[in-house]
Amino acid sequence: WLAAGTSWPALSAVMAADRVGKGIRTAPRDALISLASEPQRVGLSFGVHRAFDSAGALLGPLVAFAILAALPEAYDVVFVASFCIALAGLAALLLLVRNPSGSAAAATRPTFAQAMGLLRMTRLRRVLIAAAALGLATVADPFFYLLLQRSAALPVAWFPLLFLGTALTYLALAVPAGRLADRIGRGRVIFLGYTLLLAACGCLLASQQHKLWGALALALLGAYYACTDGVLMAAVSAWLPADLRASGFAMITTATGVSRLAGSALFGVLWQTWSLQVAVAVFAGALAAALLLTARTWLRLETLP
């Protein structure tokens, strides 16, 4: 980030590299979590992982806020601190984490054709389509926080605290949501999560009237992530072959990532054409429609053919 300076091509390249790194590590990590978990407690395992992950996201904005409070507009210091922490995490991964050997998943090396053959599974296709439809109608977090910051007229230095509100709720609810998914059905919890996101959009639009609506919007956004992020992977892990599980997870991540990218571009067009509030209102309507259209898939996910 520091080397990119103010050059938008360089910044775009840095952002692309960051997203590529996230894409490479997400599916293998989630596959390891599912393969190391008891089948009836996979939702709980993902909840525990997401809770620890959210704990880091909780501390990050606090550190950024503290740095900016002590050194206003010293964003370079924020990036340097983040880089040093990332190096420490990478060192821990290389020196302390060991991959188990001799597992069933590691015994074979699936081909690309076998991985693509997963698309012959009817329920995987239905999940991919449903997840992509909802992703297309999801308001990206930066837009969500930006409207909230403007509606509440918060100082720019307080902007990192908006991420803190979401991460705190996510941290508190990730494990309970995972346990609930194991008990009542993971598809039902996913449906609940997107319903909470729809409610968060409504609170976001109402935040201009009172700041308490903004606080509730942040809490609902965190609850949405707790009910959907790890729970979706836990749900599909029940019927993905062990040796192709990472491939299946990667397909879902790709489908949701591409749809959210397209949704973000569309959101930007709506914002430029009308206003930020109008864009959120349109996306809330689209999310409600997508949720109705995909309700059957989520509510009957465990019994899909």
Side-chain angles (χ1 to χ4, degrees), residues 235-273:
V236 298
S237 69
W239 32 267
L240 283 175
D243 58 338
L244 292 170
R245 196 159 297 176
S247 298
F249 287 163
M251 289 179 181
I252 294 173
T253 302
T254 299
T256 55
V258 170
S259 64
R260 289 183 179 182
L261 176 62
S264 295
L266 179 59
F267 190 98
V269 171
L270 292 173
W271 180 7
Q272 291 296 318
T273 304

Short mmCIF file of all heavy atoms in Angstrom, two decimals, residues 235-273:
data_model
loop_
_atom_site.label_atom_id
_atom_site.label_comp_id
_atom_site.label_asym_id
_atom_site.label_seq_id
_atom_site.Cartn_x
_atom_site.Cartn_y
_atom_site.Cartn_z
N ALA A 235 -22.58 -26.24 5.81
CA ALA A 235 -23.73 -26.89 5.19
C ALA A 235 -23.32 -27.75 4.00
O ALA A 235 -23.74 -28.91 3.88
CB ALA A 235 -24.74 -25.83 4.75
N VAL A 236 -22.52 -27.21 3.11
CA VAL A 236 -22.16 -27.96 1.91
C VAL A 236 -21.11 -29.03 2.19
O VAL A 236 -20.97 -29.99 1.42
CB VAL A 236 -21.66 -27.02 0.79
CG1 VAL A 236 -22.74 -26.05 0.38
CG2 VAL A 236 -20.40 -26.27 1.22
N SER A 237 -20.38 -28.90 3.31
CA SER A 237 -19.38 -29.91 3.63
C SER A 237 -20.01 -31.27 3.91
O SER A 237 -19.34 -32.30 3.83
CB SER A 237 -18.54 -29.46 4.84
OG SER A 237 -19.32 -29.47 6.03
N ALA A 238 -21.30 -31.26 4.25
CA ALA A 238 -21.98 -32.52 4.58
C ALA A 238 -22.08 -33.45 3.39
O ALA A 238 -22.18 -34.67 3.57
CB ALA A 238 -23.37 -32.22 5.15
N TRP A 239 -22.07 -32.92 2.16
CA TRP A 239 -22.23 -33.79 1.00
C TRP A 239 -21.17 -33.58 -0.07
O TRP A 239 -21.29 -34.10 -1.18
CB TRP A 239 -23.62 -33.64 0.39
CG TRP A 239 -24.26 -32.30 0.50
CD1 TRP A 239 -25.10 -31.86 1.49
CD2 TRP A 239 -24.11 -31.19 -0.41
NE1 TRP A 239 -25.49 -30.57 1.25
CE2 TRP A 239 -24.91 -30.13 0.11
CE3 TRP A 239 -23.40 -30.99 -1.58
CZ2 TRP A 239 -25.01 -28.89 -0.52
CZ3 TRP A 239 -23.48 -29.76 -2.22
CH2 TRP A 239 -24.29 -28.73 -1.68
N LEU A 240 -20.12 -32.84 0.22
CA LEU A 240 -19.00 -32.75 -0.71
C LEU A 240 -17.99 -33.86 -0.40
O LEU A 240 -17.66 -34.09 0.76
CB LEU A 240 -18.30 -31.39 -0.58
CG LEU A 240 -19.00 -30.19 -1.22
CD1 LEU A 240 -18.24 -28.91 -0.88
CD2 LEU A 240 -19.10 -30.36 -2.73
N PRO A 241 -17.47 -34.55 -1.42
CA PRO A 241 -16.45 -35.59 -1.17
C PRO A 241 -15.23 -34.99 -0.48
O PRO A 241 -14.84 -33.85 -0.76
CB PRO A 241 -16.11 -36.09 -2.58
CG PRO A 241 -17.25 -35.67 -3.44
CD PRO A 241 -17.78 -34.40 -2.84
N ALA A 242 -14.61 -35.76 0.40
CA ALA A 242 -13.48 -35.26 1.17
C ALA A 242 -12.34 -34.80 0.27
O ALA A 242 -11.72 -33.76 0.52
CB ALA A 242 -12.99 -36.34 2.14
N ASP A 243 -12.06 -35.57 -0.80
CA ASP A 243 -10.91 -35.24 -1.64
C ASP A 243 -11.20 -34.07 -2.59
O ASP A 243 -10.29 -33.57 -3.25
CB ASP A 243 -10.45 -36.45 -2.43
CG ASP A 243 -11.55 -37.04 -3.31
OD1 ASP A 243 -12.74 -36.79 -3.01
OD2 ASP A 243 -11.23 -37.74 -4.28
N LEU A 244 -12.47 -33.65 -2.67
CA LEU A 244 -12.83 -32.52 -3.54
C LEU A 244 -13.46 -31.38 -2.75
O LEU A 244 -14.05 -30.48 -3.34
CB LEU A 244 -13.81 -33.00 -4.63
CG LEU A 244 -13.24 -33.95 -5.68
CD1 LEU A 244 -14.36 -34.51 -6.53
CD2 LEU A 244 -12.21 -33.23 -6.56
N ARG A 245 -13.33 -31.43 -1.44
CA ARG A 245 -14.02 -30.44 -0.61
C ARG A 245 -13.49 -29.04 -0.84
O ARG A 245 -14.26 -28.08 -0.94
CB ARG A 245 -13.92 -30.83 0.86
CG ARG A 245 -14.91 -30.08 1.74
CD ARG A 245 -15.14 -30.81 3.04
NE ARG A 245 -15.74 -32.12 2.81
CZ ARG A 245 -15.98 -33.00 3.78
NH1 ARG A 245 -15.63 -32.71 5.03
NH2 ARG A 245 -16.53 -34.16 3.52
N ALA A 246 -12.19 -28.89 -0.92
CA ALA A 246 -11.62 -27.56 -1.16
C ALA A 246 -12.08 -27.02 -2.51
O ALA A 246 -12.35 -25.82 -2.65
CB ALA A 246 -10.09 -27.61 -1.10
N SER A 247 -12.19 -27.89 -3.51
CA SER A 247 -12.67 -27.46 -4.83
C SER A 247 -14.11 -26.97 -4.74
O SER A 247 -14.47 -25.95 -5.34
CB SER A 247 -12.56 -28.61 -5.83
OG SER A 247 -11.22 -29.02 -5.99
N GLY A 248 -14.94 -27.70 -4.02
CA GLY A 248 -16.33 -27.28 -3.86
C GLY A 248 -16.45 -25.96 -3.13
O GLY A 248 -17.22 -25.08 -3.52
N PHE A 249 -15.66 -25.80 -2.07
CA PHE A 249 -15.66 -24.53 -1.33
C PHE A 249 -15.20 -23.39 -2.24
O PHE A 249 -15.73 -22.28 -2.18
CB PHE A 249 -14.75 -24.63 -0.12
CG PHE A 249 -15.30 -25.48 1.00
CD1 PHE A 249 -14.46 -25.95 1.99
CD2 PHE A 249 -16.64 -25.79 1.06
CE1 PHE A 249 -14.95 -26.72 3.03
CE2 PHE A 249 -17.15 -26.57 2.10
CZ PHE A 249 -16.29 -27.04 3.08
N ALA A 250 -14.19 -23.68 -3.07
CA ALA A 250 -13.68 -22.65 -3.97
C ALA A 250 -14.74 -22.21 -4.97
O ALA A 250 -14.83 -21.03 -5.32
CB ALA A 250 -12.44 -23.16 -4.70
N MET A 251 -15.55 -23.15 -5.45
CA MET A 251 -16.62 -22.79 -6.38
C MET A 251 -17.62 -21.85 -5.73
O MET A 251 -18.06 -20.86 -6.33
CB MET A 251 -17.34 -24.06 -6.87
CG MET A 251 -16.53 -24.92 -7.81
SD MET A 251 -17.44 -26.40 -8.30
CE MET A 251 -16.23 -27.19 -9.36
N ILE A 252 -17.98 -22.15 -4.49
CA ILE A 252 -18.93 -21.29 -3.79
C ILE A 252 -18.33 -19.91 -3.54
O ILE A 252 -18.99 -18.88 -3.74
CB ILE A 252 -19.35 -21.96 -2.47
CG1 ILE A 252 -20.13 -23.23 -2.76
CG2 ILE A 252 -20.18 -21.00 -1.60
CD1 ILE A 252 -20.44 -24.05 -1.54
N THR A 253 -17.08 -19.88 -3.12
CA THR A 253 -16.42 -18.61 -2.87
C THR A 253 -16.32 -17.79 -4.15
O THR A 253 -16.52 -16.57 -4.15
CB THR A 253 -15.01 -18.84 -2.30
OG1 THR A 253 -15.11 -19.60 -1.09
CG2 THR A 253 -14.31 -17.53 -2.00
N THR A 254 -16.02 -18.47 -5.27
CA THR A 254 -15.93 -17.77 -6.55
C THR A 254 -17.28 -17.21 -6.98
O THR A 254 -17.39 -16.05 -7.41
CB THR A 254 -15.40 -18.72 -7.64
OG1 THR A 254 -14.09 -19.17 -7.27
CG2 THR A 254 -15.32 -18.01 -8.98
N ALA A 255 -18.33 -18.02 -6.83
CA ALA A 255 -19.67 -17.58 -7.23
C ALA A 255 -20.10 -16.35 -6.43
O ALA A 255 -20.60 -15.37 -6.99
CB ALA A 255 -20.67 -18.71 -7.05
N THR A 256 -19.90 -16.40 -5.12
CA THR A 256 -20.31 -15.26 -4.29
C THR A 256 -19.41 -14.06 -4.53
O THR A 256 -19.89 -12.92 -4.55
CB THR A 256 -20.28 -15.65 -2.81
OG1 THR A 256 -18.98 -16.16 -2.46
CG2 THR A 256 -21.31 -16.72 -2.51
N GLY A 257 -18.12 -14.30 -4.74
CA GLY A 257 -17.20 -13.19 -4.97
C GLY A 257 -17.49 -12.45 -6.26
O GLY A 257 -17.52 -11.21 -6.29
N VAL A 258 -17.72 -13.21 -7.34
CA VAL A 258 -18.02 -12.58 -8.63
C VAL A 258 -19.34 -11.82 -8.58
O VAL A 258 -19.46 -10.69 -9.08
CB VAL A 258 -18.05 -13.64 -9.75
CG1 VAL A 258 -18.58 -13.05 -11.05
CG2 VAL A 258 -16.65 -14.22 -9.97
N SER A 259 -20.35 -12.42 -7.95
CA SER A 259 -21.65 -11.76 -7.87
C SER A 259 -21.57 -10.49 -7.02
O SER A 259 -22.20 -9.47 -7.35
CB SER A 259 -22.70 -12.71 -7.30
OG SER A 259 -22.40 -13.07 -5.97
N ARG A 260 -20.80 -10.50 -5.96
CA ARG A 260 -20.67 -9.31 -5.13
C ARG A 260 -19.87 -8.22 -5.84
O ARG A 260 -20.14 -7.03 -5.66
CB ARG A 260 -20.01 -9.66 -3.79
CG ARG A 260 -20.94 -10.46 -2.88
CD ARG A 260 -20.32 -10.76 -1.54
NE ARG A 260 -21.25 -11.51 -0.69
CZ ARG A 260 -20.99 -11.87 0.55
NH1 ARG A 260 -19.82 -11.55 1.10
NH2 ARG A 260 -21.89 -12.54 1.25
N LEU A 261 -18.91 -8.64 -6.65
CA LEU A 261 -18.17 -7.66 -7.45
C LEU A 261 -19.11 -6.97 -8.44
O LEU A 261 -19.10 -5.74 -8.57
CB LEU A 261 -17.03 -8.35 -8.20
CG LEU A 261 -16.23 -7.48 -9.17
CD1 LEU A 261 -15.53 -6.35 -8.41
CD2 LEU A 261 -15.20 -8.32 -9.93
N ALA A 262 -19.93 -7.76 -9.11
CA ALA A 262 -20.90 -7.18 -10.05
C ALA A 262 -21.89 -6.29 -9.30
O ALA A 262 -22.27 -5.21 -9.78
CB ALA A 262 -21.63 -8.28 -10.80
N GLY A 263 -22.31 -6.74 -8.12
CA GLY A 263 -23.23 -5.95 -7.33
C GLY A 263 -22.63 -4.63 -6.89
O GLY A 263 -23.31 -3.59 -6.90
N SER A 264 -21.36 -4.65 -6.53
CA SER A 264 -20.69 -3.41 -6.12
C SER A 264 -20.61 -2.42 -7.27
O SER A 264 -20.80 -1.21 -7.09
CB SER A 264 -19.29 -3.72 -5.59
OG SER A 264 -19.36 -4.49 -4.41
N ALA A 265 -20.32 -2.94 -8.48
CA ALA A 265 -20.28 -2.06 -9.65
C ALA A 265 -21.65 -1.44 -9.92
O ALA A 265 -21.77 -0.24 -10.20
CB ALA A 265 -19.79 -2.84 -10.87
N LEU A 266 -22.68 -2.26 -9.82
CA LEU A 266 -24.04 -1.76 -10.02
C LEU A 266 -24.41 -0.74 -8.95
O LEU A 266 -25.04 0.29 -9.24
CB LEU A 266 -25.02 -2.93 -10.02
CG LEU A 266 -26.50 -2.57 -10.19
CD1 LEU A 266 -26.72 -1.84 -11.51
CD2 LEU A 266 -27.36 -3.83 -10.12
N PHE A 267 -24.01 -1.01 -7.72
CA PHE A 267 -24.29 -0.09 -6.62
C PHE A 267 -23.63 1.27 -6.90
O PHE A 267 -24.23 2.32 -6.68
CB PHE A 267 -23.75 -0.66 -5.31
CG PHE A 267 -24.18 0.11 -4.08
CD1 PHE A 267 -25.26 -0.32 -3.33
CD2 PHE A 267 -23.51 1.25 -3.68
CE1 PHE A 267 -25.66 0.37 -2.19
CE2 PHE A 267 -23.90 1.96 -2.55
CZ PHE A 267 -24.99 1.51 -1.81
N GLY A 268 -22.38 1.22 -7.39
CA GLY A 268 -21.69 2.47 -7.71
C GLY A 268 -22.40 3.27 -8.79
O GLY A 268 -22.48 4.50 -8.72
N VAL A 269 -22.94 2.58 -9.79
CA VAL A 269 -23.69 3.25 -10.86
C VAL A 269 -24.94 3.92 -10.29
O VAL A 269 -25.26 5.07 -10.61
CB VAL A 269 -24.07 2.25 -11.98
CG1 VAL A 269 -25.03 2.90 -12.97
CG2 VAL A 269 -22.82 1.75 -12.69
N LEU A 270 -25.65 3.21 -9.42
CA LEU A 270 -26.85 3.77 -8.80
C LEU A 270 -26.51 4.98 -7.94
O LEU A 270 -27.23 5.99 -7.93
CB LEU A 270 -27.55 2.71 -7.96
CG LEU A 270 -28.19 1.54 -8.72
CD1 LEU A 270 -28.69 0.48 -7.75
CD2 LEU A 270 -29.31 2.03 -9.61
N TRP A 271 -25.40 4.88 -7.23
CA TRP A 271 -24.98 5.99 -6.37
C TRP A 271 -24.66 7.23 -7.22
O TRP A 271 -25.08 8.34 -6.91
CB TRP A 271 -23.77 5.54 -5.54
CG TRP A 271 -23.22 6.58 -4.62
CD1 TRP A 271 -23.75 7.82 -4.34
CD2 TRP A 271 -22.03 6.48 -3.85
NE1 TRP A 271 -22.96 8.49 -3.43
CE2 TRP A 271 -21.89 7.70 -3.12
CE3 TRP A 271 -21.05 5.50 -3.69
CZ2 TRP A 271 -20.83 7.94 -2.26
CZ3 TRP A 271 -20.00 5.73 -2.82
CH2 TRP A 271 -19.88 6.93 -2.12
N GLN A 272 -23.90 7.02 -8.30
CA GLN A 272 -23.53 8.15 -9.15
C GLN A 272 -24.74 8.73 -9.88
O GLN A 272 -24.82 9.94 -10.12
CB GLN A 272 -22.48 7.69 -10.17
CG GLN A 272 -21.13 7.37 -9.57
CD GLN A 272 -20.46 8.59 -8.94
OE1 GLN A 272 -20.50 9.68 -9.50
NE2 GLN A 272 -19.86 8.40 -7.78
N THR A 273 -25.70 7.88 -10.22
CA THR A 273 -26.87 8.34 -10.96
C THR A 273 -27.87 9.05 -10.06
O THR A 273 -28.43 10.09 -10.44
CB THR A 273 -27.55 7.16 -11.66
OG1 THR A 273 -26.59 6.49 -12.49
CG2 THR A 273 -28.71 7.63 -12.52
#
